[in-house]
Amino acid sequence: MATDLVLLPGRAAPTAPLIAAIETLAAAAPFRRLQTPGGGTMSVAMTNCGSWGWHSDTRGYRYLARDPLTGCAWPAMPAAFARLAGEAAAEAGFPGFVPDACLVNRYEIGAQMGAHRDFDELDLRQPIVSVSIGLPAQFLWHGEQRRTRPRVVELRDGDVLVWGGRARAGYHAVRRLTAPDLLTHGTTPQGLELRYNLTFRRAK
Ligand code: MD6
Ligand code: FE
Protein backbone atom coordinates (compact mmCIF):
# COMPACT_ATOMS: atom_id res chain seq x y z
CA MET A 1 0.00 0.00 0.00
CA ALA A 2 1.21 3.55 -0.62
CA THR A 3 2.99 5.26 2.22
CA ASP A 4 0.60 7.16 4.47
CA LEU A 5 -2.36 5.03 3.37
CA VAL A 6 -2.87 2.89 6.48
CA LEU A 7 -5.41 0.06 6.69
CA LEU A 8 -6.63 -0.88 10.18
CA PRO A 9 -8.53 -4.14 9.54
CA GLY A 10 -11.66 -4.54 11.66
CA ARG A 11 -10.87 -1.44 13.74
CA ALA A 12 -14.52 -0.28 13.64
CA ALA A 13 -16.05 -3.70 14.36
CA PRO A 14 -18.69 -4.48 15.43
CA THR A 15 -20.51 -2.13 13.07
CA ALA A 16 -24.11 -2.66 14.25
CA PRO A 17 -24.01 0.49 16.47
CA LEU A 18 -22.63 2.52 13.54
CA ILE A 19 -25.46 1.29 11.28
CA ALA A 20 -28.04 2.28 13.90
CA ALA A 21 -26.48 5.75 14.14
CA ILE A 22 -26.50 6.13 10.33
CA GLU A 23 -30.19 5.20 10.21
CA THR A 24 -30.95 7.80 12.91
CA LEU A 25 -29.09 10.60 11.17
CA ALA A 26 -30.56 9.68 7.77
CA ALA A 27 -34.04 10.19 9.25
CA ALA A 28 -33.09 13.88 9.73
CA ALA A 29 -30.84 14.35 6.70
CA PRO A 30 -32.00 11.85 4.05
CA PHE A 31 -29.67 10.08 1.64
CA ARG A 32 -29.76 11.69 -1.80
CA ARG A 33 -27.97 11.22 -5.10
CA LEU A 34 -26.16 14.45 -5.87
CA GLN A 35 -25.63 16.11 -9.23
CA THR A 36 -22.09 16.31 -10.55
CA PRO A 37 -20.75 19.64 -11.85
CA GLY A 38 -20.99 18.12 -15.35
CA GLY A 39 -24.74 17.53 -14.94
CA GLY A 40 -24.73 13.78 -14.24
CA THR A 41 -26.19 12.05 -11.20
CA MET A 42 -23.93 10.14 -8.82
CA SER A 43 -24.74 6.46 -8.31
CA VAL A 44 -23.71 6.70 -4.64
CA ALA A 45 -26.30 8.26 -2.30
CA MET A 46 -24.89 10.66 0.30
CA THR A 47 -25.68 12.51 3.49
CA ASN A 48 -23.57 14.16 6.19
CA CYS A 49 -23.22 14.79 9.87
CA GLY A 50 -21.07 17.28 11.74
CA SER A 51 -20.55 21.05 11.39
CA TRP A 52 -19.97 20.84 7.64
CA GLY A 53 -21.47 18.71 4.92
CA TRP A 54 -19.93 17.95 1.54
CA HIS A 55 -22.17 18.87 -1.39
CA SER A 56 -22.05 18.72 -5.16
CA ASP A 57 -24.26 20.25 -7.82
CA THR A 58 -23.83 21.96 -11.18
CA ARG A 59 -22.11 24.87 -9.36
CA GLY A 60 -19.32 22.58 -8.12
CA TYR A 61 -18.12 20.84 -4.99
CA ARG A 62 -18.16 22.56 -1.60
CA TYR A 63 -18.85 22.26 2.11
CA LEU A 64 -22.14 23.64 3.43
CA ALA A 65 -23.20 24.34 7.03
CA ARG A 66 -26.83 23.52 6.18
CA ASP A 67 -28.48 20.68 4.34
CA PRO A 68 -29.88 22.20 1.12
CA LEU A 69 -32.64 19.56 1.14
CA THR A 70 -34.09 20.55 4.52
CA GLY A 71 -32.59 24.00 5.21
CA CYS A 72 -31.48 22.68 8.62
CA ALA A 73 -28.01 22.29 10.05
CA TRP A 74 -26.58 18.81 9.45
CA PRO A 75 -27.19 16.36 12.32
CA ALA A 76 -24.50 16.54 15.00
CA MET A 77 -21.63 14.10 14.67
CA PRO A 78 -22.23 11.29 17.20
CA ALA A 79 -19.56 11.34 19.93
CA ALA A 80 -18.74 7.70 19.16
CA PHE A 81 -18.01 8.63 15.51
CA ALA A 82 -15.62 11.44 16.49
CA ARG A 83 -13.86 9.24 19.04
CA LEU A 84 -13.41 6.38 16.57
CA ALA A 85 -12.01 8.74 13.92
CA GLY A 86 -9.62 10.46 16.32
CA GLU A 87 -8.32 7.20 17.78
CA ALA A 88 -7.87 5.55 14.38
CA ALA A 89 -5.99 8.58 13.04
CA ALA A 90 -3.66 8.55 16.05
CA GLU A 91 -3.01 4.81 15.64
CA ALA A 92 -2.09 5.45 12.01
CA GLY A 93 0.37 8.18 12.95
CA PHE A 94 -1.80 11.31 12.76
CA PRO A 95 -2.40 12.45 16.35
CA GLY A 96 -4.74 15.34 17.17
CA PHE A 97 -7.27 14.72 14.39
CA VAL A 98 -10.60 16.37 15.28
CA PRO A 99 -13.08 15.92 12.39
CA ASP A 100 -15.70 18.60 11.72
CA ALA A 101 -17.34 16.79 8.79
CA CYS A 102 -18.49 13.23 8.18
CA LEU A 103 -19.64 12.32 4.68
CA VAL A 104 -21.82 9.21 4.68
CA ASN A 105 -21.84 7.28 1.39
CA ARG A 106 -24.40 4.58 0.64
CA TYR A 107 -23.63 2.12 -2.17
CA GLU A 108 -26.37 -0.12 -3.46
CA ILE A 109 -25.44 -3.00 -5.77
CA GLY A 110 -24.23 -1.39 -9.00
CA ALA A 111 -23.05 1.88 -7.43
CA GLN A 112 -19.47 3.03 -7.94
CA MET A 113 -17.28 6.04 -7.40
CA GLY A 114 -15.10 7.31 -10.21
CA ALA A 115 -11.50 8.37 -9.75
CA HIS A 116 -11.21 11.60 -7.80
CA ARG A 117 -9.07 13.46 -5.29
CA ASP A 118 -10.36 14.82 -2.00
CA PHE A 119 -9.32 18.40 -2.41
CA ASP A 120 -12.10 20.56 -0.97
CA GLU A 121 -10.70 20.78 2.57
CA LEU A 122 -8.71 23.80 3.77
CA ASP A 123 -5.80 22.04 5.46
CA LEU A 124 -4.51 19.11 3.42
CA ARG A 125 -2.08 18.21 6.22
CA GLN A 126 -5.10 16.80 8.05
CA PRO A 127 -5.77 13.12 7.28
CA ILE A 128 -9.05 11.52 6.23
CA VAL A 129 -10.41 8.57 8.16
CA SER A 130 -12.61 6.22 6.15
CA VAL A 131 -14.79 3.51 7.73
CA SER A 132 -16.30 0.69 5.65
CA ILE A 133 -19.56 -0.98 6.69
CA GLY A 134 -21.55 -3.79 5.12
CA LEU A 135 -20.71 -5.39 1.78
CA PRO A 136 -17.03 -5.55 0.82
CA ALA A 137 -15.75 -3.24 -1.91
CA GLN A 138 -12.63 -2.86 -3.97
CA PHE A 139 -10.95 0.44 -3.32
CA LEU A 140 -8.70 1.53 -6.17
CA TRP A 141 -5.62 3.56 -5.37
CA HIS A 142 -4.25 5.30 -8.47
CA GLY A 143 -1.90 7.70 -6.68
CA GLU A 144 -0.54 10.87 -8.23
CA GLN A 145 -1.92 10.30 -11.71
CA ARG A 146 -5.47 9.34 -12.59
CA ARG A 147 -4.26 7.20 -15.50
CA THR A 148 -1.90 5.06 -13.40
CA ARG A 149 -3.18 1.50 -13.14
CA PRO A 150 -4.58 1.25 -9.60
CA ARG A 151 -3.56 -0.89 -6.70
CA VAL A 152 -6.62 -2.72 -5.35
CA VAL A 153 -7.40 -2.62 -1.63
CA GLU A 154 -10.26 -4.84 -0.46
CA LEU A 155 -12.33 -2.99 2.16
CA ARG A 156 -14.51 -5.14 4.39
CA ASP A 157 -17.09 -4.53 7.09
CA GLY A 158 -15.38 -2.76 10.01
CA ASP A 159 -12.18 -1.84 8.18
CA VAL A 160 -10.75 1.63 8.72
CA LEU A 161 -8.52 3.29 6.14
CA VAL A 162 -6.51 6.30 7.27
CA TRP A 163 -5.14 8.50 4.62
CA GLY A 164 -2.81 11.43 4.90
CA GLY A 165 0.63 12.85 4.34
CA ARG A 166 1.92 12.18 0.86
CA ALA A 167 -1.14 10.07 0.00
CA ARG A 168 -3.59 12.86 0.84
CA ALA A 169 -3.87 14.24 -2.69
CA GLY A 170 -3.87 10.88 -4.51
CA TYR A 171 -6.48 9.73 -7.03
CA HIS A 172 -8.74 6.94 -5.85
CA ALA A 173 -11.99 5.24 -6.81
CA VAL A 174 -14.38 2.50 -5.70
CA ARG A 175 -15.15 -0.33 -8.14
CA ARG A 176 -18.80 -1.00 -8.97
CA LEU A 177 -20.38 -2.87 -6.06
CA THR A 178 -21.41 -6.40 -6.98
CA ALA A 179 -23.92 -8.70 -5.31
CA PRO A 180 -22.32 -10.66 -2.48
CA ASP A 181 -20.82 -14.01 -3.37
CA LEU A 182 -22.78 -16.27 -1.05
CA LEU A 183 -20.18 -19.04 -1.38
CA THR A 184 -17.46 -16.90 0.14
CA HIS A 185 -19.60 -14.69 2.37
CA GLY A 186 -22.27 -17.07 3.59
CA THR A 187 -24.52 -14.24 4.64
CA THR A 188 -23.87 -10.51 4.44
CA PRO A 189 -23.01 -8.69 7.68
CA GLN A 190 -26.20 -7.86 9.57
CA GLY A 191 -28.10 -8.87 6.44
CA LEU A 192 -27.06 -5.56 4.87
CA GLU A 193 -27.34 -5.69 1.07
CA LEU A 194 -25.39 -2.48 0.67
CA ARG A 195 -22.22 -0.75 1.71
CA TYR A 196 -21.85 2.37 3.80
CA ASN A 197 -18.68 4.39 3.99
CA LEU A 198 -18.05 7.12 6.52
CA THR A 199 -15.32 9.58 5.60
CA PHE A 200 -14.26 11.88 8.37
CA ARG A 201 -12.54 15.10 7.40
CA ARG A 202 -11.39 18.37 8.82
CA ALA A 203 -13.14 20.65 6.33
CA LYS A 204 -12.37 24.10 7.77
C1 MD6 B 1 -15.54 4.97 -0.28
N1 MD6 B 1 -14.05 6.79 -0.18
O1 MD6 B 1 -14.73 4.26 0.30
C2 MD6 B 1 -15.13 6.28 -0.89
N2 MD6 B 1 -11.71 9.41 0.03
O2 MD6 B 1 -16.69 4.65 -0.43
C3 MD6 B 1 -13.33 7.83 -0.57
O3 MD6 B 1 -13.56 8.45 -1.58
C4 MD6 B 1 -12.23 8.24 0.28
O4 MD6 B 1 -12.23 6.23 1.51
C5 MD6 B 1 -10.69 9.85 0.74
C6 MD6 B 1 -10.15 9.10 1.74
C7 MD6 B 1 -10.65 7.88 2.02
C8 MD6 B 1 -11.72 7.42 1.28
FE1 FE C 1 -12.40 10.23 -1.74
Side-chain angles (χ1 to χ4, degrees), residues 113-181:
M113 191 173 291
H116 68 280
R117 299 192 280 179
D118 289 63
F119 230 60
D120 304 312
E121 299 77 31
L122 275 183
D123 180 1
L124 296 178
R125 292 169 305 183
Q126 297 281 339
I128 296 181
V129 174
S130 158
V131 177
S132 291
I133 298 165
L135 293 178
Q138 291 187 330
F139 187 81
L140 307 176
W141 168 250
H142 296 265
E144 273 176 44
Q145 310 229 34
R146 188 192 289 268
R147 66 173 183 271
T148 303
R149 179 164 3 157
R151 191 173 291 219
V152 180
V153 181
E154 183 93 3
L155 294 178
R156 297 187 180 81
D157 182 61
D159 287 354
V160 179
L161 187 65
V162 183
W163 171 292
R166 281 163 292 171
R168 184 64 176 75
Y171 283 96
H172 55 282
V174 177
R175 193 167 275 164
R176 188 179 299 284
L177 197 72
T178 54
D181 180 345

